[in-house]
């Protein structure tokens, strides 16, 4: 059994209730927080549709070793996701308690953290936490974006295809860079999408889609009512024309294909 496996075994009897869950440190900038929120907000509903479930969190402690407690090393990833687990609320992620590490980790780079995230943290995620896929992204410098997949114990870079998609196998989704507005800010955001490049929507986008559908339904109802009114006017005109040439109510009803009551209403509005 490797040292990393021994550490996980040692942690198996410790739960999130036994461990610190907050260091009161805020994210680097407001944009970092918005980027984290965007990744979580759009992925959470999608995970809820999976038969095997899933959980996503951000800026939350992830414990893989009792030594983290001893050394006060509680730092957690900016974003992570795991499949095959419940979506219950958590204070922190304890690998021994959950039975697995996160499947996907994303770090949001900044000037003060970039070097650490690309070197030391990457090594920890590869050797100690054994994360399936690790991605970094700089919200202020979107070109600084890379992903790695664990293969035979080592990270191998994930290629970005010609459509600008980075495939994330654990989630059967892709990450893309999307230029648009979120939380009132226009910039390039890192977003989840299906393999057909359809974005996983935000709550605001879902609300807009629902409003568009409601507007469309209202327009269709108005158009149907207009057609019905026009048809009624045409039938009334036919009835009145037939009455003017001396046809009886019964004859008009038969010729026009309407009921006697409709003829009476047309002739006696």
């Amino acid at each position: 059994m490797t040292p990393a496996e021994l550490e996980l075994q040692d942690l198996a009897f410790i739960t999130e209730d036994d461990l610190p869950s907050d260091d009161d440190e805020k994210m680097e900038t407001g944009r970092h927080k918005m980027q984290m929120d965007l990744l979580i907000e759009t992925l959470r509903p999608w995970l809820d549709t999976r038969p095997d479930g899933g959980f996503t969190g951000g800026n939350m402690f992830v414990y893989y070793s009792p030594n983290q407690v001893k050394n006060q090393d509680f730092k957690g990833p900016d974003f992570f996701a795991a499949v095959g687990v419940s979506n219950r609320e958590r204070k922190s992620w304890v690998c021994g308690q959950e039975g697995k590490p996160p499947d996907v980790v994303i770090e949001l780079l900044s000037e003060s953290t970039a070097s650490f995230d690309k070197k030391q943290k990457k090594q920890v995620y590869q050797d100690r936490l054994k994360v399936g896929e690790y991605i970094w992204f700089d919200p202020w410098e979107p070109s600084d974006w890379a992903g790695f997949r664990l293969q035979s114990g080592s990270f191998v870079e994930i290629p970005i295809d010609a459509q600008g998609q980075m495939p994330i196998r654990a989630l059967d989704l892709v990450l893309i860079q999307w230029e648009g507005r979120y939380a009132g800010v226009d910039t390039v955001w890192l977003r989840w999408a299906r393999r057909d490049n359809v974005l996983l929507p935000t709550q605001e986008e879902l609300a807009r889609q629902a409003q568009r559908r409601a507007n469309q339904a209202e327009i269709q109802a108005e158009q149907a009512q207009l057609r019905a009114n026009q048809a009624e006017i045409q039938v009334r005109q036919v009835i009145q024309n037939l009455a003017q040439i001396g046809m009886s109510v019964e004859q008009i009803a038969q010729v026009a294909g309407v009921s006697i009551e409709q003829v009476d209403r047309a002739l006696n509005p």
Side-chain angles (χ1 to χ4, degrees), residues 50-81:
R50 288 178 60 102
D52 59 346
F55 177 80
T56 181
N59 206 24
M60 178 187 294
F61 295 160
V62 173
Y63 289 97
Y64 58 87
S65 164
N67 289 332
Q68 291 174 270
V69 183
K70 297 174 188 175
N71 301 332
Q72 299 290 298
D73 180 18
F74 306 137
K75 302 298 184 187
D78 294 323
F79 168 92
F80 70 91

Side-chain angles (χ1 to χ4, degrees), residues 194-237:
R194 301 195 316 237
R195 291 187 180 274
D196 59 5
N197 226 34
V198 174
L199 291 170
L200 299 192
T202 65
Q203 293 302 307
E204 182 180 353
E205 288 166 345
L206 285 173
R208 286 203 300 267
Q209 291 172 10
Q211 186 61 54
R212 281 196 296 269
R213 287 193 296 269
N215 293 343
Q216 184 77 24
E218 185 177 351
I219 290 170
Q220 290 173 346
E222 289 174 354
Q223 290 173 340
Q225 185 61 52
L226 181 59
R227 289 192 295 270
N229 292 343
Q230 290 171 339
E232 185 178 352
I233 291 170
Q234 290 171 349
V235 170
R236 185 183 300 119
Q237 187 63 54

Side-chain angles (χ1 to χ4, degrees), residues 11-245:
L11 203 61
F13 302 105
I14 301 175
T15 72
E16 62 198 81
D17 293 326
D18 304 316
L19 298 165
S21 60
D22 188 9
D23 59 6
D24 294 323
E25 284 193 15
K26 292 181 170 50
M27 299 195 74
E28 293 292 318
T29 66
R31 187 176 294 183
H32 282 76
K33 175 66 166 57
M34 285 184 280
Q35 176 64 81
M36 179 191 75
D37 290 343
L38 176 58
L39 290 166
I40 293 173
E41 177 187 341
T42 52
L43 185 63
R44 184 169 286 153
W46 184 87
L47 286 173
D48 289 342
T49 68
R50 288 178 60 102
D52 59 346
F55 177 80
T56 181
N59 206 24
M60 178 187 294
F61 295 160
V62 173
Y63 289 97
Y64 58 87
S65 164
N67 289 332
Q68 291 174 270
V69 183
K70 297 174 188 175
N71 301 332
Q72 299 290 298
D73 180 18
F74 306 137
K75 302 298 184 187
D78 294 323
F79 168 92
F80 70 91
V83 296
V85 297
S86 79
N87 63 354
R88 67 176 179 83
E89 185 179 14
R90 291 165 169 82
K91 296 176 183 177
S92 56
W93 184 274
V94 184
C95 292
Q97 181 184 4
E98 302 291 349
K100 61 179 292 182
D103 293 298
V104 180
V105 165
I106 299 176
E107 291 291 356
L108 303 175
L109 306 180
S110 67
E111 289 186 10
S112 62
T113 67
S115 177
F116 186 75
D117 289 340
K118 292 179 179 181
K119 296 176 183 176
Q120 290 95 323
K121 266 198 174 181
K122 181 186 174 190
Q123 204 69 36
V124 167
Y125 291 146
Q126 172 185 278
D127 299 336
R128 308 296 291 280
L129 198 53
K130 298 188 181 301
V131 171
E133 288 163 304
Y134 172 51
I135 301 96
W136 68 59
F137 175 74
D138 188 337
W140 291 95
E141 190 57 56
S143 60
D144 198 351
W145 177 38
F148 305 87
R149 183 173 293 124
L150 196 64
Q151 293 183 0
S152 302
S154 298
F155 275 144
V156 176
E157 188 163 1
I158 302 172
I160 299 171
D161 67 20
Q163 287 73 45
Q165 298 180 342
M166 179 186 289
I168 305 301
R169 288 181 183 171
L171 301 175
D172 194 27
L173 293 171
V174 299
L175 282 168
I176 65 170
Q177 292 193 15
W178 172 79
E179 187 171 359
R181 174 175 286 251
Y182 176 72
V185 176
D186 291 299
T187 189
V188 175
W189 301 98
L190 190 64
R191 291 196 61 169
W192 297 108
R194 301 195 316 237
R195 291 187 180 274
D196 59 5
N197 226 34
V198 174
L199 291 170
L200 299 192
T202 65
Q203 293 302 307
E204 182 180 353
E205 288 166 345
L206 285 173
R208 286 203 300 267
Q209 291 172 10
Q211 186 61 54
R212 281 196 296 269
R213 287 193 296 269
N215 293 343
Q216 184 77 24
E218 185 177 351
I219 290 170
Q220 290 173 346
E222 289 174 354
Q223 290 173 340
Q225 185 61 52
L226 181 59
R227 289 192 295 270
N229 292 343
Q230 290 171 339
E232 185 178 352
I233 291 170
Q234 290 171 349
V235 170
R236 185 183 300 119
Q237 187 63 54
V238 169
I239 291 171
Q240 290 171 350
N241 290 342
L242 294 174
Q244 286 175 1
I245 63 175

